[in-house]
Amino acid sequence: MLQVAFIRENKEAVLKGLAKRNLKNAEELVEKTISADEIRRATQTELDAVLAESNKLSKDIGMLFKTGERQKAEILKQKTVQLKEKSKELTETLQNKATELQDLLYLIPNIPNEIVPGGTSEEDNVNIFEEGTIPVLHEGALPHWELAKKYDIIDFELGNKIAGAGFPVYKGKGAKLQRALINYFLDKNAAAGYDEVQVPHLVNEASGIATGQLPDKEGQMYHDAQDDLYLIPTAEVPVTNIFRDVILKESEFPICKTAYTPCFRREAGSYGAHVRGLNRLHQFDKVEIVRIEHPSKSYEALEGMVAHVKDILQELKMPYRILRLCGGDIGFTSALTYDFELFSTAQDRWLEISSVSNFENFQANRLKLRFKNSEGKSELAHTLNGSSLALPRVLAGLLENCQTPEGIKIPKVLVPYCGFDIIN
C-alpha cells in the first residue's frame, strides 16, 4: 500500500496517478485517508500529552508521600484517575482511527510509473516488442484441445469428473512434457542466478494482505474457512512473504528467488470460447521469479527480468510480443507491468503467458520489508515478480504451433528434459 505520508505530501501527484487508473472514487478515498490520518495524529499527540502529564503526577505523588504531604498527594491521585480515564478513551479512539486508516489505505492501488500509458482496457496496451515467425500450419491443423484428445495427452472430461471444469488431467507424453517445461524453466532461472525454493501452497490471511491479493482479489481465491487459509493464486505470495517483517542489510541486495507451484484461481465469471481447453483453468502450474531490490536498482532489475523471459521464449522458438500495460489494465499492486503474449496459430489469437512487474515499495510497505541504508536509517525495499513461465498457455501454444501432419514436434531445448522429440 501507499505510505500515508506520501499521500499527504504528494496529494496532487497521487490523484493524477489514480486518474490514469480510471479510479472513479479516487478523490473521495484520498480525502478520507488524509482526514483519518489527521485525526489519528492529533489523537496521538493528545494521548502523548495526557500520558506525559500522568507520569509527571505519579512522580510528584511519590515525592509528596515521602515528605509527608499526604493531603496534597491524595488530591493529585484523584487527578491521575481522571487522566487514566481520558487516556483510555483516547487509546480507543486512536485504535479505531488507525483501523479506519488502514482499511482506507488497502483500497488505494499503487501509483503507475510515469511511462505507463493511459487507457481503459487491454485494447490500450502498447506493443513494444515482437519477435519470432508465426508458422503457417498445414491444412486440417487443430486447436490444442482437439490435439490433446487426438494424441490422448490431456483429458479435460476426466478432470471434470474428478473435480470439475478447469482441472485437466495430463497423461502420458502430455504429463512428461508438462514436467519437462517446469524443469527447464527452473534450470533457466537457476542459471540466471535465481535461488530455488519450495514453499507452502496455502497461506494465511496476513500473507495475502502483505502481497496485495487481499482484500482486492478475495473473491478469486479458494478459501478454507475452517483453518482460515487460502490456496495460492501464484508462488509470488508465499515467496515474497519469506521477507515479511524482515530488515535486510544493504549488502544483501539483490535477492533473487524462483519457485514452482501449482496455482489456484476461482476465475469467477469466466466463460465463452476464449476460455476453452488450457486457456483458463482453476488449477495450473507456474514457475515464478521474485526479486527484492534496492530502490535505486529496481527498474534495472525489471529490464533484466524482461530480458530473461525473452531468452526463454527465444530458445523455445515461439512467436511472442511484449506489451506495456496501460493504466486501465495494470494490476492493483503494480507500478509498471510488461505482459508477454504468445501467438496461438490454431486459435489465431495472442495468449498471455507472463507478467513481469515492479511494485516499487507498495508491497514492501504492507510486508514491513525494510533495509538499513548507508546512513543507517530504515528504508522500504522494492519488490518485483514475474512468470517464468505460466505453463497452460505456453503448452497450448507449443502444441498448436509445433503441430505437423506427422505429429507435434518438441522444441530441441526440451528434448533432453522429456526424452522424446515428437508426440504422435
Side-chain angles (χ1 to χ4, degrees), residues 142-160:
L142 302 171
H144 70 269
W145 53 86
E146 295 291 347
L147 292 168
K149 188 173 183 179
K150 177 179 178 179
Y151 295 111
D152 195 26
I153 52 176
I154 308 171
D155 196 322
F156 296 102
E157 293 179 4
L158 184 56
N160 190 45

Side-chain angles (χ1 to χ4, degrees), residues 122 143-145 147 154 156 168 170 177-178 181 185 220 265 267 270-287 313 316 318-321 323 325 329 339-347 349-355 387 389-402 414:
E122 61 183 23
H144 70 269
W145 53 86
L147 292 168
I154 308 171
F156 296 102
Y170 299 87
L177 181 55
Q178 181 87 342
L181 282 164
F185 294 153
Q220 292 296 324
R265 300 182 187 179
E267 298 288 5
S270 295
Y271 57 90
H274 69 289
V275 300
R276 287 194 68 179
L278 297 172
N279 288 344
R280 186 155 300 174
L281 303 175
H282 294 305
Q283 177 182 328
F284 61 94
D285 291 321
K286 183 153 70 84
V287 176
L313 290 169
L316 288 173
M318 292 287 174
Y320 70 94
R321 68 181 183 181
L323 306 178
L325 298 195
D329 198 33
D339 267 9
F340 282 76
E341 294 185 338
L342 181 153
F343 191 78
S344 165
T345 310
Q347 297 180 71
R349 57 190 291 255
W350 292 96
L351 305 175
E352 181 196 333
I353 54 171
S354 174
S355 287
S387 310
L389 290 164
L391 273 80
R393 294 172 184 170
V394 170
L395 184 58
L398 189 155
L399 295 177
E400 294 178 1
N401 292 342
C402 297
L414 293 178

Side-chain angles (χ1 to χ4, degrees), residues 106-356:
Y106 283 157
L107 298 176
I108 302 175
N110 203 355
I111 302 304
N113 184 283
E114 61 182 14
I115 70 168
V116 171
T120 59
S121 71
E122 61 183 23
E123 299 299 323
D124 300 309
N125 295 334
V126 179
N127 186 346
I128 63 167
F129 185 83
E130 196 165 320
E131 187 173 47
T133 303
I134 295 174
V136 178
L137 299 181
H138 62 279
E139 187 177 346
L142 302 171
H144 70 269
W145 53 86
E146 295 291 347
L147 292 168
K149 188 173 183 179
K150 177 179 178 179
Y151 295 111
D152 195 26
I153 52 176
I154 308 171
D155 196 322
F156 296 102
E157 293 179 4
L158 184 56
N160 190 45
K161 169 188 171 183
I162 296 169
F167 296 91
V169 174
Y170 299 87
K171 302 164 66 177
K173 287 186 174 181
K176 288 182 178 179
L177 181 55
Q178 181 87 342
R179 180 157 50 90
L181 282 164
I182 292 168
N183 289 336
Y184 165 64
F185 294 153
L186 285 171
D187 283 352
K188 284 291 291 183
N189 295 346
Y194 291 88
D195 179 42
E196 184 178 350
V197 290
Q198 290 189 352
V199 289
H201 299 164
L202 293 102
V203 294
N204 54 31
E205 183 181 45
S207 294
I209 289 172
T211 46
Q213 278 68 33
L214 298 175
D216 181 52
K217 294 182 175 63
E218 187 168 9
Q220 292 296 324
M221 295 175 71
Y222 286 100
H223 181 225
D224 172 27
Q226 184 171 343
D227 293 321
D228 195 21
L229 294 172
Y230 293 83
L231 282 166
I232 60 170
T234 166
E236 169 202 342
V237 182
V239 174
T240 309
N241 269 279
I242 292 172
F243 304 96
R244 177 155 45 98
D245 298 319
V246 169
I247 298 179
L248 300 166
K249 296 177 183 176
E250 202 166 11
S251 60
E252 293 181 77
F253 292 123
I255 295 172
C256 307
K257 301 291 181 183
T258 185
Y260 153 71
T261 65
C263 303
F264 305 88
R265 300 182 187 179
R266 293 186 63 242
E267 298 288 5
S270 295
Y271 57 90
H274 69 289
V275 300
R276 287 194 68 179
L278 297 172
N279 288 344
R280 186 155 300 174
L281 303 175
H282 294 305
Q283 177 182 328
F284 61 94
D285 291 321
K286 183 153 70 84
V287 176
E288 198 81 356
I289 49 176
V290 170
R291 294 180 73 113
I292 314 296
E293 289 282 349
H294 190 283
S296 66
K297 298 288 186 181
S298 68
Y299 278 97
E300 180 183 334
L302 180 66
E303 294 304 317
M305 294 168 76
V306 168
H308 175 64
V309 176
K310 284 171 65 176
D311 183 49
I312 291 174
L313 290 169
Q314 286 166 352
E315 286 196 353
L316 288 173
K317 300 192 182 305
M318 292 287 174
Y320 70 94
R321 68 181 183 181
I322 305 173
L323 306 178
R324 183 183 293 130
L325 298 195
C326 71
D329 198 33
I330 196 171
F332 184 89
T333 54
S334 178
L336 177 61
T337 294
Y338 293 103
D339 267 9
F340 282 76
E341 294 185 338
L342 181 153
F343 191 78
S344 165
T345 310
Q347 297 180 71
D348 193 28
R349 57 190 291 255
W350 292 96
L351 305 175
E352 181 196 333
I353 54 171
S354 174
S355 287
V356 182

